[in-house]
Amino acid sequence: MLKSLKISRPGLWFPTIWIYLVPFQLASNFWEKPLFWVGLFFVTFPLNFLVYGLNDFTDGKADSLNPRKGNYLFGAKLSKEELTNVPWHICCVMVPFLAYFAYVGGGELFILLLFMIVINIIYNYKPFRLKERPPFEILIQVGYVFTALFSIQLNNLEMLPWQTMLYLTLFAFQAHIAGEIMDIEPDKLVGKKTTAVLIGRKNAKFLMLFLLLFEAYILKFWFDDWVLSGFLAVFSLWLILDIFVFFKDKPYTLRQMKIFGIAINVSAILSMIWVLYSGNLLHPNF
């Protein structure tokens, strides 16, 4: 069980939790409904066990050379033998939830969850294996946005505005690029192609900076959210200093990556609270 938990990367649960919570409003007292908590649990361990379990099963060689793996923050580092039964374990975890959500949410919710599973298969397995087909390995991260659609369907909420969906998509792209930047060295060692490997560390950071600034623009001018846009502006300033002053084209140390991981989780928790409190992402200016 602990091995499965480590595979699910608790330190990287924040994107699915964050996106699941976006459609809610505090005034609805959503926390009083048991179905909300079932859905919230699903997007923590079960969904991330699916996402990262398939990733580890099909990417074991690169992970074995990755110094940031082998912990609950960034995921497990397992042998080929230890990974053998992971797909079966994923099925055992996912099937009961699929059955339950089909029962309470009907065919539409069941199809949505199947689609999320198919996205992960396309990402990891041949003949598609989009995880090694830049830039499609970034573009397919739009699949994370389906967590919001799952939340809406399960909890009978109003559909999010397209502006919010665009912001969440950019958020998913940016988070994935950050991971690629940290994995450039082990990916190169096994010949794995990613956008960060292809364009280089510094250019990948520039791409991440562009997305951050675009997100900050959307939050400020489309949603009048000074808090989140201000945070992303500060993050963008840090990334500029990273590119030109501190790290430039040098890889991060393991200690630095762990500090970044903890800082991202803290900022994610604080921003979740703000998003729920303000409700700004539910009300664009146009």
Side-chain angles (χ1 to χ4, degrees), residues 258-271:
K258 286 184 176 180
I259 291 172
F260 294 157
I262 293 169
I264 289 172
N265 274 274
V266 172
S267 62
I269 292 170
L270 294 176
S271 63

Side-chain angles (χ1 to χ4, degrees), residues 27-253:
S28 65
N29 295 335
F30 57 84
W31 58 86
E32 297 177 356
K33 302 172 183 177
L35 198 56
F36 162 78
W37 294 104
V38 176
L40 181 62
F41 174 75
F42 174 73
V43 302
T44 55
F45 168 69
L47 181 57
N48 283 292
F49 185 46
L50 164 70
V51 172
Y52 295 119
L54 290 183
N55 183 78
D56 288 358
F57 181 74
T58 60
D59 214 14
K61 189 174 181 181
D63 288 344
S64 68
L65 301 173
N66 195 328
R68 74 183 179 110
K69 296 296 176 66
N71 51 71
Y72 289 98
L73 185 59
F74 294 123
K77 182 186 288 189
L78 303 173
S79 66
K80 187 175 181 180
E81 291 73 24
E82 291 175 303
L83 291 168
T84 300
N85 292 322
V86 166
W88 167 244
H89 294 161
I90 291 172
C91 289
C92 291
V93 170
M94 291 294 295
V95 168
F97 283 97
L98 286 173
Y100 174 74
F101 290 135
Y103 173 73
V104 299
E108 290 185 6
L109 187 58
F110 180 72
I111 291 171
L112 176 61
L113 289 169
L114 283 182
F115 184 70
M116 294 168 71
I117 293 171
V118 168
I119 286 177
N120 280 280
I121 292 173
I122 290 173
Y123 178 74
N124 287 287
Y125 287 94
K126 295 179 179 180
F128 305 101
R129 196 166 165 79
L130 295 188
K131 68 195 305 179
E132 292 193 38
R133 296 179 183 270
F136 297 108
E137 94 283 13
I138 294 175
L139 298 178
I140 200 172
Q141 301 307 313
V142 70
Y144 270 100
V145 178
F146 284 86
T147 307
L149 299 180
F150 164 75
S151 179
I152 291 167
Q153 187 72 26
L154 178 67
N155 297 284
N156 195 28
L157 304 172
E158 291 187 14
M159 178 58 67
L160 290 173
W162 68 264
Q163 295 94 329
T164 306
M165 300 296 278
L166 175 60
Y167 167 71
L168 294 177
T169 299
L170 296 176
F171 167 74
F173 290 171
Q174 165 238 307
H176 184 79
I177 292 170
E180 283 194 4
I181 291 170
M182 289 190 281
D183 288 345
I184 286 177
E185 279 68 33
D187 286 344
K188 280 184 175 180
L189 286 174
V190 297
K192 181 181 176 182
K193 295 179 182 179
T194 67
T195 297
V197 168
L198 194 64
I199 66 178
R201 179 176 283 102
K202 185 171 284 190
N203 286 332
K205 289 180 180 179
F206 276 121
L207 177 57
M208 185 175 169
L209 178 61
F210 168 76
L211 292 174
L212 282 169
L213 292 173
F214 193 7
E215 290 173 60
Y217 174 87
I218 289 174
L219 290 168
K220 170 61 184 71
F221 294 101
W222 292 8
F223 294 96
D224 286 330
D225 194 315
W226 286 88
V227 174
L228 284 182
S229 62
F231 168 75
L232 289 185
V234 171
F235 189 13
S236 299
L237 178 59
W238 159 255
L239 191 53
I240 291 171
L241 293 174
D242 178 312
I243 294 170
F244 292 104
V245 180
F246 299 130
F247 297 100
K248 300 179 182 178
D249 201 31
K250 296 184 298 183
Y252 304 121
T253 66

